């Protein structure tokens, strides 16, 4: 399944013709996974990770307002993780996510969702 994904200058993440997030700061496609960071009201940004072939992601594409379906960071969802405020996605390789912090340093981590997909 091919799909068009884009990030506009005014921080809107578009998937096909739907606005998935209007507060997106960075995004990255890694195989079947769409990763993106978004603003939050707290001291951190939120990293969302979705397998574009799963039913949960397809619900976003059919919803009237997809951004209302995004889980909050306090949920136990594997699709959400907090990252430091101002962090930008730089690369994803071998299931390791590399983010650039506001001070310029790079940090890497392996989200559970990517590791579980690798184990399958």
């Amino acid at each position: 399944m091919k799909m068009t994904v884009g990030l506009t200058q005014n921080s809107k993440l578009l998937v096909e013709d739907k606005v998935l997030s209007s507060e997106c700061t960075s995004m990255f496609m890694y195989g079947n996974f769409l990763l993106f960071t978004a603003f939050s009201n707290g001291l951190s940004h939120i990293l969302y990770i979705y397998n574009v072939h799963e039913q949960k992601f397809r619900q976003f594409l059919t919803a009237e307002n997809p951004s209302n379906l995004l889980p909050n960071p306090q949920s136990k969802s594997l699709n959400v993780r907090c990252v430091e405020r101002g962090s930008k996605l730089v690369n994803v390789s071998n299931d390791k996510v590399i983010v650039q912090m506001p001070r310029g340093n790079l940090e890497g981590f392996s989200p559970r969702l990517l590791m579980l997909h690798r184990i399958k």
Side-chain angles (χ1 to χ4, degrees):
M1 174 174 105
K2 290 185 179 184
M3 70 176 59
T4 305
V5 179
L7 180 60
T8 67
Q9 290 179 334
N10 57 351
S11 302
K12 291 186 179 178
L13 177 64
L14 301 169
V15 178
E16 297 300 333
D17 60 344
K18 294 278 189 176
V19 176
L20 188 57
S21 172
S22 59
E23 300 177 331
C24 183
T25 57
S26 62
M27 54 86 68
F28 198 89
M29 285 294 298
Y30 174 66
N32 295 334
F33 290 92
L34 171 64
L35 296 86
F36 65 97
T37 56
F39 292 113
S40 71
N41 294 332
L43 297 174
S44 59
H45 281 183
I46 304 168
L47 171 65
Y48 295 98
I49 304 171
Y50 284 99
N51 185 336
V52 298
H53 294 300
E54 287 185 355
Q55 183 63 31
K56 188 185 290 188
F57 185 78
R58 292 179 192 197
Q59 289 175 347
F60 288 123
L61 300 180
T62 58
E64 187 67 34
N65 190 353
S67 59
N68 288 344
L69 297 177
L70 293 174
N72 65 17
Q74 287 78 30
S75 71
K76 301 215 184 263
S77 173
L78 294 177
N79 299 86
V80 171
R81 178 189 172 108
C82 288
V83 293
E84 186 176 331
R85 188 171 200 78
S87 298
K88 302 274 186 194
L89 288 168
V90 175
N91 194 13
V92 181
S93 67
N94 297 329
D95 302 325
K96 184 168 258 205
V97 176
I98 310 295
V99 293
Q100 182 175 10
M101 300 298 166
R103 299 172 304 285
N105 56 319
L106 299 174
E107 292 189 12
F109 55 90
S110 299
R112 286 186 199 120
L113 190 62
L114 295 180
M115 295 308 296
L116 290 172
H117 181 73
R118 184 179 205 179
I119 292 170
K120 280 186 186 179

